[in-house]
Amino acid sequence: NAGVTQTPKFQVLKTGQSMTLQCAQDMNHEYMSWYRQDPGMGLRLIHYSVGAGITDQGEVPNGYNVSRSTTEDFPLRLLSAAPSQTSVYFCASSKGVAKNIQYFGAGTRLSVL
Amino acid sequence: QQQVKQSPQSLIVQKGGISIINCAYENTAFDYFPWYQQFPGKGPALLIAIRPDVSEKKEGRFTISFNKSAKQFSLHIMDSQPGDSATYFCAAGSAGYSTLTFGKGTMLLVSP
């Protein structure tokens, strides 16, 4: 029973490097979201998807790209990492009429030097 | 614009005491109000949630109180235990959207 799986758990990048944070869920959930968590800021929505092929921006989308080619996967791409993107990133998924009941992964802790 | 305001930022309670965390929202379109619990190094996990058609929901030692007219809701943890020490987030959502708007979180420490 994997649920929402995020990889890697930890990553250190240099400014300007690119990388992809992976998120996969095995619950057949159509809704998936990415949040970032910063001290004293709570969780802020970056991008979300309501199904394969459909994505939209959240509160803090700048510097991030997403795509949703399958129901299971929702990767988050940083094209040119900046120190301001140092954060903990969480992926979440939900389903159907209970779309508000979000299940979170364990997170990816990212440091950009 | 902060749509969900949470207080206090941190809270220390003695074992057996009552922990109370408050949240206020602005958007009247919100109709789902969950509380998430997060332990260090883990992702948030749904603790308890309420919809505005009821004023209170209780699950074990955890109770949500909801005041629709004041646009406020709160989490009460009765008989607080050291194992309850965690960060708690309130959130709000609406029927048309899968995403949630979160408060900034409360770090709860229950002292033995």
Side-chain angles (χ1 to χ4, degrees):
Chain A
N1 224 9
V4 179
T5 302
Q6 292 185 238
T7 56
K9 295 189 186 303
F10 303 94
Q11 183 72 47
V12 178
L13 291 178
K14 293 181 180 179
T15 297
Q17 286 185 317
S18 63
M19 80 159 294
T20 299
L21 281 63
Q22 302 291 345
C23 176
Q25 53 88 14
D26 62 357
M27 299 176 284
N28 200 30
H29 286 179
E30 63 265 43
Y31 303 101
M32 296 186 75
S33 306
W34 277 102
Y35 295 85
R36 61 177 287 174
Q37 182 178 12
D38 302 291
M41 297 296 293
L43 290 98
R44 293 181 292 168
L45 181 66
I46 305 172
H47 285 284
Y48 65 100
S49 170
V50 299
I54 306 170
T55 64
D56 206 347
Q57 296 181 350
E59 179 186 357
V60 288
N62 292 341
Y64 308 95
N65 281 348
V66 293
S67 60
R68 182 99 180 269
S69 57
T70 67
T71 299
E72 294 77 20
D73 300 297
F74 190 41
L76 179 71
R77 298 182 185 85
L78 285 69
L79 297 180
S80 179
S84 60
Q85 295 179 303
T86 294
S87 187
V88 182
Y89 292 86
F90 289 100
C91 179
S93 72
S94 59
K95 180 181 177 65
V97 296
K99 62 169 75 73
N100 290 145
I101 302 177
Q102 299 213 318
Y103 297 87
F104 283 82
T108 294
R109 184 175 296 275
L110 175 67
S111 293
V112 182
L113 306 178
Chain B
Q1 180 185 5
Q2 185 186 358
Q3 294 196 50
V4 179
K5 295 183 179 180
Q6 183 172 346
S7 62
Q9 193 171 10
S10 62
L11 180 62
I12 300 175
V13 174
Q14 285 194 334
K15 179 182 177 180
I18 302 174
S19 304
I20 301 175
I21 305 171
N22 300 298
C23 282
Y25 63 98
E26 300 169 1
N27 188 345
T28 55
F30 289 143
D31 60 1
Y32 174 72
F33 302 92
W35 286 89
Y36 279 80
Q37 180 187 56
Q38 184 183 32
F39 293 106
K42 305 293 186 182
L46 179 63
L47 183 64
I48 186 173
I50 197 169
R51 295 196 184 271
D53 52 342
V54 296
S55 60
E56 185 174 283
K57 183 174 182 180
K58 184 177 181 178
E59 291 184 1
R61 296 185 293 108
F62 300 91
T63 299
I64 299 179
S65 297
F66 183 78
N67 186 328
K68 187 174 181 178
S69 61
K71 293 189 286 186
Q72 295 176 345
F73 58 109
S74 60
L75 176 68
H76 295 234
I77 306 174
M78 311 299 289
D79 187 27
S80 298
Q81 299 297 311
D84 297 330
S85 297
T87 299
Y88 292 82
F89 293 97
C90 63
S94 59
Y97 298 91
S98 62
T99 57
L100 298 171
T101 300
F102 285 85
K104 293 187 175 183
T106 297
M107 292 183 62
L108 170 66
L109 176 63
V110 181
S111 59

